[in-house]
Amino acid sequence: MSILSPDWDGQRAFLAVLDTGSLSAAARNLGLTQPTVRHRIEALERAIGQPLFSRTVNGLVPTDDARELAVHVRRMAFASEAFYRAASASGGEIAGTVRISVAEFVGIEVMPRLLAPLRERHPGLYVELVLSNENADLPGQEADIAIRMHRPRHGALVAKRAGCIPLGFFATASYLERHGVPEGATDLARHTLIGSDRSRMDQDFTRELQKTLGEKLYFALRTDSHPTQLAMVRAGLGIGVTQLPIGERDLVRVLPGLIVAELEAWVVAHADLRHSHRIDAVFRHLAANLRQYCTGTQITQITSGSFPSSG
């Protein structure tokens, strides 16, 4: 069977319907009319010789083939976005758009202070900050740079280890005034503890922490959202674990002699981007300032150095 070459507009419409679940929502996202989106979907289906959606009373349901094809279309979308980010600066200018992927907690609590001096030094830089606890597909160009809490293993990536972020127990001064200050791990049992709910990774962390403490921990307030855990601690609801540089801003350290755990922090990018001036500048800035964050020293502007040659 001869298959025509589908145009990108049709594939964008397909991806928008897949992501939003309806023609009307896809049309709003794309800034098009609903009939235009429908026409593009139908044209794409004719071009590839198969249906992409089943029409039901509940709307459009993607076929199994559509879900498989979406992987390739999404890669094309990421590549298209990366193309425009690369074209947003010219020559050796440190300007244009950089897309950075970080975990939710890092994006909320850490990145604003890391980005402030960077933007002050390079006002022509535009940052797209993606907050997700899932690793961005850097080889697939989903982002330009990522901050990860583990060493990357993919051979196409370059990485710089910034250091280790220590974790500790924290509470508000008002909570400790009302309920007393724990003198040891055994005292935690009579306090309100804030922790994880169903996250497998966090449950593994809790098991290791209990081994370290020699005590069972019972969380009265549970959520898998780390920013929400911190917000509950800041509201005076109980004792929780957070990164030392964050907790020491406005909370009181509980069991100050105890480092609960340490998180490795890595700045990661695709090796093909090492010659981009804007990527290089942001990568070096994040690596140097994240290192300072790990050690609790002042965040500064970094403009000299070189992109790492390997992980």
Side-chain angles (χ1 to χ4, degrees), residues 116-288:
L118 178 70
R119 284 277 301 144
E120 183 178 349
R121 182 62 183 264
H122 302 295
L125 278 174
Y126 298 92
V127 175
E128 296 176 355
L129 193 60
V130 183
L131 274 60
S132 174
N133 292 333
E134 299 294 328
N135 286 338
D137 181 6
L138 295 181
Q141 301 176 305
E142 188 175 352
D144 299 314
I145 298 173
I147 294 178
R148 293 181 178 172
M149 298 305 160
H150 57 84
R151 181 170 187 163
R153 301 298 180 187
H154 198 289
L157 302 178
V158 292
K160 183 71 173 178
R161 184 180 182 274
C164 287
I165 305 172
L167 307 181
F169 284 110
F170 285 90
T172 60
S174 62
Y175 173 86
L176 296 174
E177 288 171 3
R178 295 194 310 270
H179 300 281
V181 179
E183 298 296 333
T186 56
D187 294 337
L188 293 175
R190 60 183 178 82
H191 283 271
T192 299
L193 300 184
I194 299 167
S196 63
D197 183 20
R198 301 183 182 183
S199 165
R200 181 173 299 178
M201 183 178 298
D202 285 354
Q203 288 176 352
D204 291 341
F205 166 79
T206 300
R207 279 191 288 270
E208 291 301 314
L209 176 56
Q210 289 175 153
K211 290 178 183 179
T212 301
L213 296 175
E215 297 289 336
K216 184 76 173 177
L217 297 178
Y218 297 95
F219 298 127
L221 299 170
R222 294 179 291 185
T223 174
D224 289 330
S225 167
H226 295 166
T228 304
Q229 289 179 21
L230 180 58
M232 288 194 287
V233 174
R234 284 176 171 158
L237 295 178
I239 297 173
V241 173
T242 195
Q243 299 177 13
L244 260 61
I246 298 300
E248 289 173 346
R249 291 177 186 172
D250 56 0
L251 297 169
V252 178
R253 183 90 177 270
V254 174
L255 304 180
L258 175 67
I259 297 294
V260 169
E262 290 187 313
L263 302 175
E264 276 198 320
W266 293 80
V267 181
V268 190
H270 196 287
D272 290 348
L273 298 177
R274 71 176 65 186
H275 300 301
S276 165
H277 291 284
R278 78 187 195 288
I279 302 298
D280 177 60
V282 175
F283 188 102
R284 286 188 281 106
H285 174 87
L286 291 178

Side-chain angles (χ1 to χ4, degrees), residues 68-85:
E68 292 183 12
L69 292 171
V71 174
H72 305 289
V73 179
R74 203 173 300 280
R75 287 175 182 164
M76 292 173 62
F78 290 148
S80 176
E81 292 169 359
F83 171 83
Y84 282 105
R85 291 198 299 273

Side-chain angles (χ1 to χ4, degrees), residues 11-22 25-27 29-30 37 41 53:
Q11 295 176 51
R12 286 182 65 231
F14 159 63
L15 201 57
V17 172
L18 189 70
D19 288 342
T20 63
S22 71
N29 281 7
L30 296 173
V37 174
I41 293 294
F53 297 95

